[in-house]
Amino acid sequence: MLDHILSILIFFPAFAGVMGFMINKESMRAYGTAVATIEFALSLWLWFSFDNNVSGMQFMEHMALVPSFGINYILGVDGISLFIIILAAFFTMIGIASLTDTKNVKNMIITLLFLQMTMIGVFVALDAIVFYVFWELSLVPMLYIIGAWGGPLRIYASVKFFLYTFTGSLVMLVGMLFMAYFFYQATGVWSFAILDWYRLILPESFQLWLFAAFFVGFAIKVPMFPFHTWLPYAHGQAPTIGSVILAAILLKMGTYAFIRFSLPLFPDASVFFMYPIAILAIIMIIYTAMVAYAQKDIKQVVAYSSVSHMGVIILGTFALNVEGITGSIFLMIAHGVVSGALFLLVGVIYDRRHTKLMSEFGGLAHVMPRYATIFGLMLMASVGMPLTINFVGEFLSLLGFYQQSHILTLLAGIAIVVGAIYMLTAFKKIFFGELTNEANKNLPDVSKRELLALIPLSIITVWLGIYPKPVLDPINNSVEAVVQLMHNKATSHEAKMRIPNVSGVVISKTTAKEAH
Amino acid sequence: MLSPVNVSLESLNLITLAPMLIPVIGALLILVIDIIKGGLDKSLYVVLSILFLALDFGALLESAGAFSKNGIMLGVFDVMLIDGLAIISQFIIVVTSMLFIPLALTHKRFHEFSYPEFFALFLFMIAGFQFMVASDNLILIFVGLETASLALYTLIAMHNRDKSFEAAIKYFTMGALAAGFYSFGSMVFYALTGSIEINQIAAVLQANNYADIGFVLVAVVMMLASFGFKLSIVPFHTWTPDVYEGSSAAMAGYMSIVPKIAAFVVAMRLFEFLIHANIVWLEVVLYVFVVVTMTAANIWALVQSDVKRMLAYSSISHAGFVMAAILIGTTQSNSALFLYWILFSFTNLGSFSMLWISRQKELPGYQKTDHSFEKFSGMIQTSPMAAIVMGLFMLSLAGLPPFALFWGKIYMISSAVTSGYTLLALIMALNSAIAGYYYIKLIVYMFMKDPITSNVDNNGQLYVANATTALKTIIGFAIIGTVFAFVALDSLLEFVTAFVYNSGY
């Protein structure tokens, strides 16, 4: 069974989703929770059987799909994707378990199960076309979730979300076809397998164009400034569960794809574009932080802060060294946990008051102390307090980028600190002060079902903030391999210099030991 | 004094005629049956048509086997040309027709199917298309084209509504104009080269190194206009939405597939050698046609308020997309054309059939046309299965993986990439994004809006009002072809590529 665990992880939720049509409406939530729990257990089993010392792909599966055109069903998992998969399974589970009263709950749960299939698929696919299949397919359930259960502008928001990302990925598809063609020219065989592509060294001019094509697809997904305009609408209109999954998992597809595709395939282009992208990322951090400060709607604040932190992830990724990339992957998980939790928290208050305007609240800490505590914890994590999960990721990302540019890192660091202002202000507006609004006087504190989702998230936030090693180690291993690959493949002198030679370091360490 | 013509029967190679003659015999038989005993039920004629088409299919398998063994076959004074293109396109024609004809077994009574002539004309039309693709003789192509077109005009008019007559007349006038252009173009080619066989024309033009390029261009312009009408290339597309709207949904779906593949094959035979002769002018014109057809049709489709008209514009856009294959002109692109069209036929026939099963006789007040978008509001709540099926077809048309058309799209774009048409590849990709909007629009109506109350009351009956087991089976086939296309893709691709390559394209 372990040989096919990745296929099982992908298709079990989809199969269960199809079977779900037969389930009675009343039992649907229990069914969904059960399926998602099994899936989460499977993903934990994957972690348990995962060999931390191997840097390459594990649990590989290979099946011919269209061999004459080089499309094969290839799956595999390494330290980079492992934890995002677990995160996806985890969030689907708590998402379904904490689902509040929704109309058509059956459709919602079936859609979520299909969405889970596409999410896992994206992170385990090792064939560009298979990757693209899941990447595109993930748009459809999300379109439906936003469009059918969202707020008043839901149709506009969902169609904008769909078209924006769809357009970007089509450009990326052309890039993939070019990449396959170059591979064909070099070897005489068609192949879309990513591991095959890794072996191909392209001239820098080609790299630049292909990097740009892939960049359009990924940057829209992340979303990077200036392609981020779909996200506030999507978050603003989506139901809580939609926002949670979107922020926690779907956005990570973009940053993950940068590490899986752009960096190892185009190392020279990555170095070439490092500064422009870093500047975009810093603009993104500062600009969205400022926009977040101006919001009246608490959900929009969380949405913009989520975009802001995605900027740090990008910055870490384009540090192009082990610390930066490891940090950015860790931050992906951290951001998933924290912003997912924040959206859940916003959902809690929205369920009670059916408004998200901060002016409606104030002094909530008096009536909802537990809620205020968890919110406070997540907020601290979000602004990157030490001993919380975000801190580890942000610190490593910035540390990585510090080696490339001191000034830009300083700017980004200041921006993050300044970014704390809007979160704290929002917290102040909602929780502190006198309880003035009559409607808030008798709000019940968080219920058991809500705690079911929030407590595990709080535990993870603190646990991985204090002791990140079990997660960092496998990530670090795989990232070292990626950076080494980039260093070996880089052709220009500048790229060789910017991307460190990892094995050199390791060798020097061992020689030092021997000498000792 | 005429000398007697001595031709051995063997040299005629009459077996090449078999696939075309089978539907002709079938059509005659249907007429004879009607003379002997009239007033028989339509189901008899439907099944008879299917049986003859199955025989036709068998004959095609035979020729496919012979082709892969012996290569290209000529027959009947070298008028017939059975090569890979002819065989694949006939497969598409016959299989699509077999999937189309059971759509006549509707729940509601429709005028046209009560006439046996409908089925006879239908079979004659198929024979016409088969002749058209299985020849490189401009006259035989013309005869096939006209046989098929005249039958088709009548089939449309038989739908017996005001709009159908309008559609038939419109199609007829445009078709007559196209026929005029075609014959004029052929005449110029004949005047230039003294031949009406495309390969002879190519050889002669090659030999004199395109000395009379001016006249060649005149002929090419005529031919382009003629095929522009048949393939609904912008700006010759104006008839398409009206004709589709006027004819029954099933017939519209059929028209978006079969006549076009026949025209594509002829266009491929005719324009391919001209493209390879590096006539820059033709390349530029085709490039413009392809881009304009794709883009303009997509933009028009955005503003339609009727699903059938939207699908009509979408099929124009798909035709433009596929036309790119002829512009690119490599083996890969020509294989991509066939691959695309095979996959397209399943999806498009499926989506038109979905419209067909929801066909009402009388329109309620909120509905201006047969298939306005409003009609599909909130379909997920009243008949979820039908909504999901329709949604799948829309996603496939939009080119979302892993559904059928996605594979056709990537292979086509890949062929543009490999032959250096980078900009074209990008335009093709971005057009898919534009198209995404109007396909999503229907999904938005079906899944995200609230149903109109009268539809809730009758429990979604509206969407399956016209359904019978036969129609549902056809839609089932279309769904399987759409969703599980990737399973058969590899063998399909190898088959198509081998046949196209061995025909020298």
Side-chain angles (χ1 to χ4, degrees), chain B residues 4 8 41 46 53 61-62 75 136 141 158 181 193 196-197 217 244 266 268 283 306 338 366 385 387 393-394 417:
Chain B
S8 73
D41 189 64
V46 169
L53 288 173
L61 281 181
E62 188 94 340
D136 74 342
I141 292 173
M158 282 171 100
F181 281 133
T193 62
I196 44 164
E197 309 246 326
L217 289 187
Y244 283 21
V266 180
M268 197 186 278
E283 208 175 320
D306 183 270
F338 286 108
Y366 60 86
M385 261 337 263
F393 287 133
M394 287 300 121
V417 162

Side-chain angles (χ1 to χ4, degrees), chain B residues 152-173:
Chain B
L152 187 55
Y153 305 142
T154 325
L155 294 182
I156 296 168
M158 282 171 100
H159 193 47
N160 207 23
R161 282 177 147 204
D162 285 348
K163 282 211 165 167
S164 329
F165 301 139
E166 184 198 324
I169 294 292
K170 209 166 211 165
Y171 197 17
F172 175 73
T173 341

Side-chain angles (χ1 to χ4, degrees), chain B residues 5 44 77 102 110 132 134 148 176 204 236 260 306 352 356 430 459:
Chain B
V5 183
L44 167 78
F77 307 103
F110 285 95
M132 202 173 145
V204 173
F236 308 107
K260 283 189 182 168
D306 183 270
F352 275 104
W356 185 224
L430 290 179
N459 213 358

Side-chain angles (χ1 to χ4, degrees), chain A residues 34 190 239 251 268 385 450 454 457 476 486 495:
Chain A
W190 282 97
L251 301 189
D268 297 303
M385 265 261 290
E450 286 152 356
L454 292 172
L457 287 171
N476 200 48
M486 285 172 68

Side-chain angles (χ1 to χ4, degrees), chain B residues 107-377:
Chain B
H107 185 68
K108 301 220 166 102
R109 233 183 119 265
F110 285 95
H111 184 74
E112 64 257 50
F113 305 126
S114 54
Y115 296 110
E117 286 84 357
F118 180 90
F119 300 93
L121 280 171
F122 179 71
L123 289 174
F124 279 133
M125 176 180 70
I126 292 166
F129 285 131
Q130 285 186 283
F131 272 118
M132 202 173 145
V133 296
S135 170
D136 74 342
N137 183 310
L138 288 175
I139 289 184
L140 187 61
I141 292 173
F142 189 54
V143 171
L145 178 72
E146 284 308 296
T147 313
S149 301
L150 286 170
L152 187 55
Y153 305 142
T154 325
L155 294 182
I156 296 168
M158 282 171 100
H159 193 47
N160 207 23
R161 282 177 147 204
D162 285 348
K163 282 211 165 167
S164 329
F165 301 139
E166 184 198 324
I169 294 292
K170 209 166 211 165
Y171 197 17
F172 175 73
T173 341
M174 293 297 179
L177 188 59
F181 281 133
Y182 180 89
S183 44
F184 196 85
S186 320
M187 183 202 78
V188 177
F189 272 128
Y190 181 68
L192 280 175
T193 62
S195 171
I196 44 164
E197 309 246 326
I198 294 174
N199 59 352
Q200 292 292 325
I201 295 172
V204 173
L205 288 179
Q206 198 90 51
N208 68 14
N209 211 7
Y210 293 86
D212 303 308
I213 186 75
F215 288 109
V216 173
L217 289 187
V218 170
V220 168
V221 170
M222 294 295 165
M223 285 299 188
L224 262 180
S226 156
F227 286 102
F229 277 115
K230 286 293 160 196
L231 292 168
S232 66
I233 299 293
V234 177
F236 308 107
H237 69 285
T238 45
W239 57 273
T240 321
D242 296 337
V243 171
Y244 283 21
E245 199 186 359
S247 39
S248 67
M251 189 48 100
Y254 187 78
M255 275 162 53
S256 67
I257 300 161
V258 171
K260 283 189 182 168
I261 186 63
F264 271 127
V265 170
V266 180
M268 197 186 278
R269 292 188 196 285
L270 191 63
F271 294 129
E272 207 77 316
F273 80 86
L274 293 164
I275 288 276
H276 287 303
N278 283 327
I279 301 182
V280 179
W281 182 86
L282 177 63
E283 208 175 320
V284 172
V285 168
L286 268 182
Y287 203 120
V288 172
F289 271 174
V290 166
V291 172
V292 170
T293 304
M294 263 191 293
T295 319
N298 270 338
I299 290 170
W300 285 318
L302 294 179
V303 295
Q304 298 304 316
S305 58
D306 183 270
V307 179
K308 204 154 102 190
R309 281 185 81 89
M310 180 272 275
L311 285 176
Y313 278 109
S314 113
S315 72
I316 297 177
S317 163
H318 283 284
F321 191 90
V322 167
M323 193 73 187
I326 290 172
L327 166 67
I328 296 163
T330 56
T331 303
Q332 195 194 359
S333 78
N334 289 335
S335 319
L337 185 149
F338 286 108
L339 183 72
Y340 193 95
W341 217 251
I342 292 169
L343 300 170
F344 180 64
S345 61
F346 279 103
T347 306
N348 215 32
L349 199 65
S351 43
F352 275 104
S353 306
M354 286 305 292
L355 296 183
W356 185 224
I357 64 166
S358 69
R359 171 65 187 275
Q360 312 125 287
K361 286 257 169 171
E362 277 131 30
L363 299 180
Y366 60 86
Q367 228 178 292
K368 284 201 192 65
T369 46
D370 273 340
H371 307 285
S372 64
F373 276 99
E374 284 78 24
K375 175 178 165 187
F376 296 94
S377 296

